[in-house]
Amino acid sequence: HALAIDFDGTIADTNGRKVAWVRDNLGIEITVGQADATSCVPIIGRDEYTRMGQDVFSPEGTMVTEPTPGALDALRRLAEAHRLVLLSARGSDWLPAAEAWLVERGVRDLFADVRSSSGTTKAGVVESVGAHALVDDDTRHLVIPSDHPFLRYHFHPDEATPWRVDGDVVHVRGWTEFDDHLAGALPALT
C-alpha cells in the first residue's frame, strides 16, 4: 500500500512554530489545532498568515522545526510495510527545504517520492501516485468528494477524544492512533 503523508504539521511541527510566531508577533494565543491555514487565516487574516509563512516555511525556519512527537519512528515503521510519498502544499520555492529537513533527520530515503500539490489538489496527487491513504493536519485537503477511494486521516493533536470517524475522515491525535487505525483499515481496501 502507498501512503501520502503531509509534511507541515504532520511530520514537522510547523504548527508549534506558528503558535509561537502568532503569540510573539501578534499577541494572539492559538492552539496547535488552530495553526493550519484553514483555521488560522480567519483568526489572524491572510496577510499576517502570509507574513508568518515567510518565517516558518523559509529554509531557515524549516530546518529549526522539530518533528511532531513520534513522527520519525512512525515513518520508519510505516516504510517497512508501505510505499511512502511526501505530499506537501509547499510550492517549488519551499519544498526543497522540507526535503532537506528529511535528509538532515535521516528519513528522506524512506520516501519513494516527494510531491507538491501546489497548483492542483492533494486528492489529485494522491490518485496519481496510487496512494491508499492521505494523512494531513488541514481539513481542506481531506474534505473532498467521497468517490475518491482512499482513506483520509486528519492529524489533529488538540483533539479531545481518541480517534474517531467523521464522515469519510478519521481524526487521530498522533502517530500511535494513526498506526492503530491504519492496521485495521488498509486490509479492507484490498
Side-chain angles (χ1 to χ4, degrees):
H1 295 105
L3 307 176
I5 304 173
D6 176 50
F7 179 73
D8 292 300
T10 307
I11 296 171
D13 188 18
T14 48
N15 287 346
R17 293 209 55 240
K18 291 177 190 178
V19 167
W21 191 97
V22 169
R23 181 191 60 239
D24 297 347
N25 291 275
L26 304 177
I28 300 171
E29 293 292 330
I30 63 170
T31 66
V32 170
Q34 294 173 309
D36 63 86
T38 300
S39 303
C40 196
V41 168
I43 297 169
I44 69 170
R46 173 63 60 195
D47 290 345
E48 292 297 344
Y49 190 86
T50 299
R51 190 166 72 99
M52 175 188 61
Q54 295 295 324
D55 178 34
V56 172
F57 301 129
S58 71
E60 299 80 15
T62 298
M63 296 311 285
V64 298
T65 302
E66 294 296 322
T68 59
L72 302 181
D73 289 337
L75 293 173
R76 289 181 187 100
R77 280 191 313 276
L78 290 167
E80 291 174 9
H82 307 285
R83 183 172 59 87
L84 305 184
V85 176
L86 183 78
L87 177 52
S88 177
R90 288 178 178 229
S92 59
D93 290 347
W94 290 338
L95 189 59
E99 196 164 4
W101 186 97
L102 296 171
V103 168
E104 183 173 286
R105 282 151 184 85
V107 295
R108 170 56 184 94
D109 291 343
L110 301 177
F111 289 90
D113 201 358
V114 174
R115 295 284 188 102
S116 171
S117 65
S118 181
T120 185
T121 65
K122 285 196 176 180
V125 177
V126 166
E127 288 186 3
S128 74
V129 300
H132 292 85
L134 169 61
V135 186
D136 204 298
D137 68 304
D138 194 332
T139 57
R140 72 187 156 123
H141 300 298
L142 301 169
V143 180
I144 51 181
S146 60
D147 62 336
H148 292 275
F150 57 86
L151 298 168
R152 300 165 184 98
Y153 288 92
H154 181 215
F155 194 87
H156 197 279
D158 285 352
E159 194 69 39
T161 57
W163 73 266
R164 64 185 172 81
V165 178
D166 183 16
D168 291 332
V169 178
V170 179
H171 300 267
V172 295
R173 294 179 294 186
W175 286 103
T176 300
E177 286 185 4
F178 171 73
D179 285 347
D180 291 348
H181 189 274
L182 185 70
L186 278 180
L189 290 179
T190 56

